[in-house]
């Protein structure tokens, strides 16, 4: 007899709140009530750390979608500070849904760790940031979830070995991801989940 584990559903809110707390809370409530999601996930960036000065001061590539005169200003407008993230986490707890955040740099990792969420997510674009990963392994006790979307099989192996060396592989959760938004059906590659399970479970 097969016993299947119930899927754990994470609603990606990301920056869809447009920098407004009330929209963020409404999206959390929708994820809980209408989608029955287990968790919601935001994003945290320190834009001055993440972007070069040229990137920060460049115009947004699509000005009709911009919230500022430069890409840096646009990103800052969408960014909640750590106190606002604490408010979001408290709101999640009040309605019974798990709060989490993707961290894009070491400063953001430190700020979100101070809130002690159940898990912190590492975007695939940052999963080779071993300075940030080292800090998290040494200072954060929760699960560390990592996307493999932009990652080769060899890089995934290197990543898992890093967590083994740090003694944190029991807290590592790998996501089988394809970095396309949306992903064409023929490129979803869900059978890669079996490869991850066979190799690392």
């Amino acid at each position: 007899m097969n016993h299947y584990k119930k899927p754990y559903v994470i609603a990606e809110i990301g920056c869809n709140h447009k920098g407004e707390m009330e929209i963020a809370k409404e999206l959390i409530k929708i994820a809980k009530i209408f989608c029955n999601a287990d968790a919601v996930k935001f994003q945290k960036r320190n834009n001055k750390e993440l972007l070069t000065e040229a990137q920060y001061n460049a115009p947004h590539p699509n000005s009709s979608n911009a919230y500022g005169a430069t890409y840096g200003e646009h990103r800052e407008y969408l960014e909640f500070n750590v106190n606002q993230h604490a408010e979001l986490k408290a709101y999640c707890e009040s309605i019974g849904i798990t709060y989490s955040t993707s961290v894009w740099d070491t400063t953001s990792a430190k700020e979100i760790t101070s809130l002690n969420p159940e898990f912190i997510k590492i975007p695939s674009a940052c999963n080779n940031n071993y300075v940030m990963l080292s800090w998290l392994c040494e200072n954060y006790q929760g699960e560390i979830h990592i996307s493999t979307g932009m990652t080769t099989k060899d890089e995934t192996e290197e990543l898992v070995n890093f967590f083994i060396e740090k003694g944190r592989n029991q807290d590592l959760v790998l996501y089988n991801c394809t970095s396309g938004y949306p992903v064409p059906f023929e490129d979803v590659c869900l059978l890669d989940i079996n490869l991850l399970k066979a190799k690392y479970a």
Side-chain angles (χ1 to χ4, degrees):
M1 186 178 184
N2 288 327
H3 294 283
Y4 293 103
K5 205 172 172 183
K6 178 181 174 290
Y8 188 84
V9 178
I10 303 168
E12 170 68 28
I13 292 177
C15 301
N16 291 314
H17 49 70
K18 302 179 181 178
E20 295 186 31
M21 182 61 68
E22 289 314 306
I23 293 176
K25 288 180 176 177
E26 188 67 20
L27 290 169
I28 293 169
K29 190 161 58 175
I30 289 168
K32 169 68 178 175
I33 295 170
F34 296 106
C35 306
N36 199 26
D38 299 289
V40 292
K41 188 176 72 63
F42 291 90
Q43 297 185 22
K44 185 81 179 81
R45 292 172 170 86
N46 181 307
N47 296 299
K48 292 268 172 75
E49 183 175 334
L50 199 58
L51 301 170
T52 65
E53 191 173 346
Q55 289 170 329
Y56 193 95
N57 293 317
H60 189 285
N62 187 341
S63 59
S64 62
N65 292 338
Y67 289 96
T70 67
Y71 185 70
E73 286 178 19
H74 164 79
R75 293 266 25 133
E76 299 291 7
Y77 184 91
L78 295 172
E79 200 61 49
F80 287 142
N81 64 37
V82 68
N83 293 328
Q84 289 171 308
H85 275 274
E87 184 178 339
L88 292 171
K89 183 171 182 276
Y91 182 73
C92 286
E93 289 165 356
S94 75
I95 66 168
I97 193 168
T98 298
Y99 158 93
S100 186
T101 297
S102 290
V103 294
W104 287 72
D105 52 81
T106 304
T107 299
S108 297
K110 291 176 178 179
E111 289 178 338
I112 296 303
T113 292
S114 74
L115 304 179
N116 197 31
E118 280 183 36
F119 69 93
I120 285 176
K121 170 85 177 358
I122 310 299
S124 60
C126 305
N127 68 15
N128 62 353
N129 182 343
Y130 285 102
V131 172
M132 178 173 74
L133 292 176
S134 291
W135 190 92
L136 283 166
C137 283
E138 291 159 17
N139 296 279
Y140 171 66
Q141 298 309 308
E143 289 182 348
I144 299 172
H145 294 202
I146 298 189
S147 286
T148 60
M150 298 179 180
T151 314
T152 66
K153 301 284 189 285
D154 287 345
E155 287 169 337
T156 301
E157 179 85 4
E158 188 180 319
L159 197 54
V160 172
N161 287 335
F162 171 82
F163 275 81
I164 291 169
E165 286 164 19
K166 289 286 188 183
R168 293 300 305 275
N169 50 304
Q170 293 304 312
D171 300 313
L172 173 64
V173 177
L174 292 176
Y175 291 15
N176 177 59
C177 298
T178 303
S179 294
Y181 305 93
V183 182
F185 184 77
E186 62 272 18
D187 296 333
V188 170
C189 301
L190 285 180
L191 288 175
D192 272 6
I193 294 171
N194 292 338
L195 296 178
L196 289 174
K197 285 176 74 173
K199 199 159 190 185
Y200 303 119

